Each structure stands twice: as C-alpha cells, then as structure tokens.
Amino acid sequence: MDAIDREILRELQKDGRLSNQELAQRVGLTPSPCMRRVRQLEQDGVIQGYRAVIDPEAVGRGFEVLVSVEVRRDRESVEAFEAALQDIPDVIEAYRLFGSPGCLLRIAVADLRAYERLWIEQLTALTGITEVNSQIIMKRVKEPTGLPV
C-alpha cells in the first residue's frame, strides 16, 4: 500500500459516495488507474464495505447505552452469549475484552423504557451472564470518522 492508496482510503472514509471521477481528481490520478486501485483495495479486504451514516434520533434510536457484561469464562457460555447477541438488533456493537469487563456492548433504543425492557427480557436472560452494568450516554463528544491512514 502506497501513499496514493492511503489517500484513496482517506477520501472514501470522508465520503464513500464519491464518484470515481471525483476521487481520481482528488488523489491525482486518471479515472482508470484510480478504479483499479479501489477494486484492488476491495479485493484485498482493505475496504470492507460502504455504509450510510444515519441520525439515530431520526430512526427512533436516540437513547444509547454502553453496557459492560460479565460472562462465565468457559467456552460454551462465551460462544452461546456471542451467538445470542447476533439476534438482538438493539445491540449495535459488541466487543469481547481482555480482563474485566469481559464484554462491552453499545445499544441503541428509543428511550429508557425500551432499554429497561431489553435489559429485563433479553440481556439478563442470556446464558452465562453473571453481571450487567449500564452507562447511559449523556453526549457523543467525538463521532467515528474512520481510521487514521
């Protein structure tokens, strides 16, 4: 990966809807070699996809919670827990961590009542859970903008 590939990545992280013509112009290439580079970055798995950034409030999910979860530390419990998370759409990010807590979840729901329902009906009912701690997000201070490349 050279400097031009990195510049392509920076530009696409800023705006994934750039036309190839615009992207080529921004990185100092003609359209054909620019498209070849983008396709190669996609084939190599460097570019893993393109997504729209959606306003959580606009879709009724403006209440976000960071949840630390302790799961029994045996393989069966961890695998069952991680599999079950895939079926809970309100869990928008999940990370297994070294140390404590064992897992960190980011959850987006409509309001406190919706989170309470999720907590009671789904989170605490998951196999292997020994502890659930919630931190309600007061304000998003820094939005994700992509990786520094």
Side-chain angles (χ1 to χ4, degrees):
M1 186 176 315
D2 64 12
I4 294 173
D5 287 336
R6 290 181 185 282
E7 187 61 28
I8 288 170
L9 295 174
R10 278 191 288 277
E11 291 298 330
L12 287 175
Q13 283 188 122
K14 287 184 217 167
D15 184 357
R17 293 189 63 173
L18 282 175
S19 69
N20 184 58
Q21 182 78 26
E22 178 67 22
L23 178 60
Q25 192 173 42
R26 288 186 186 187
V27 300
L29 293 174
T30 58
S32 290
C34 183
M35 181 58 73
R36 278 195 299 274
R37 283 176 178 260
V38 170
R39 285 192 178 132
Q40 189 64 54
L41 290 165
E42 291 169 346
Q43 288 173 357
D44 292 345
V46 177
I47 297 174
Q48 296 180 345
Y50 301 88
R51 293 178 180 87
V53 178
I54 298 170
D55 175 9
E57 292 284 343
V59 294
R61 292 191 176 267
F63 190 83
E64 291 189 26
V65 184
L66 296 177
V67 180
S68 56
V69 178
E70 288 294 349
V71 180
R72 282 194 308 269
R73 306 274 175 149
D74 63 86
R75 182 178 183 162
E76 187 177 307
S77 295
V78 171
E79 288 176 353
F81 171 75
E82 290 179 0
L85 288 180
Q86 305 308 312
D87 296 327
I88 305 174
D90 300 320
V91 177
I92 58 174
E93 291 182 74
Y95 301 93
R96 186 188 321 161
L97 307 173
F98 286 105
S100 188
C103 189
L104 182 65
L105 311 177
R106 183 170 152 233
I107 293 175
V109 291
D111 53 27
L112 181 59
R113 187 172 303 227
Y115 178 64
E116 182 183 14
R117 258 191 324 276
L118 175 73
W119 191 89
I120 290 170
E121 296 172 8
Q122 293 183 280
L123 291 180
T124 58
L126 293 174
T127 302
I129 295 290
T130 61
E131 189 174 335
V132 178
N133 291 299
S134 307
Q135 293 81 37
I136 297 170
I137 295 175
M138 180 187 305
K139 175 183 173 184
R140 191 178 291 206
V141 177
K142 184 176 180 182
E143 295 284 334
T145 58
L147 296 171
V149 291

